[in-house]
Amino acid sequence: MLAMNTAIGGLMSAQARFDKSAVKTVQDITQGKDVVSDFVDQIQARTAFEANISVIKSVNEVTGRLLDMKA
């Protein structure tokens, strides 16, 4: 289950990165700064989140198949 633990850690990291970027976006907007890099960070965090979700789905699928084989 190492892959599951790694994916969960990745989800938490991606969520924290997205949250931090969202806060920075609001600050930059209020200060009239360019927010393009903030949006890029948010897209990258979302992509990392989706990748980790895919790992979790794969782990669940493989685990299910293994359990079916044992039955």
Side-chain angles (χ1 to χ4, degrees):
M1 287 298 164
L2 181 60
M4 180 68 83
N5 292 337
T6 301
I8 291 170
L11 286 175
M12 293 169 55
S13 175
Q15 181 66 46
R17 182 176 171 190
F18 186 89
D19 291 346
K20 182 179 176 182
S21 180
V23 168
K24 187 173 180 308
T25 300
V26 172
Q27 292 171 345
D28 288 350
I29 287 173
T30 58
Q31 296 174 0
K33 294 182 180 177
D34 184 29
V35 294
V36 173
S37 63
D38 299 334
F39 290 142
V40 170
D41 286 342
Q42 290 171 19
I43 291 168
Q44 289 174 339
R46 183 188 70 203
T47 302
F49 194 89
E50 291 171 348
N52 285 292
I53 288 290
S54 293
V55 170
I56 290 171
K57 287 179 181 179
S58 296
V59 168
N60 282 337
E61 183 180 325
V62 168
T63 302
R65 288 184 182 175
L66 288 172
L67 291 175
D68 288 343
M69 288 174 35
K70 288 184 110 178

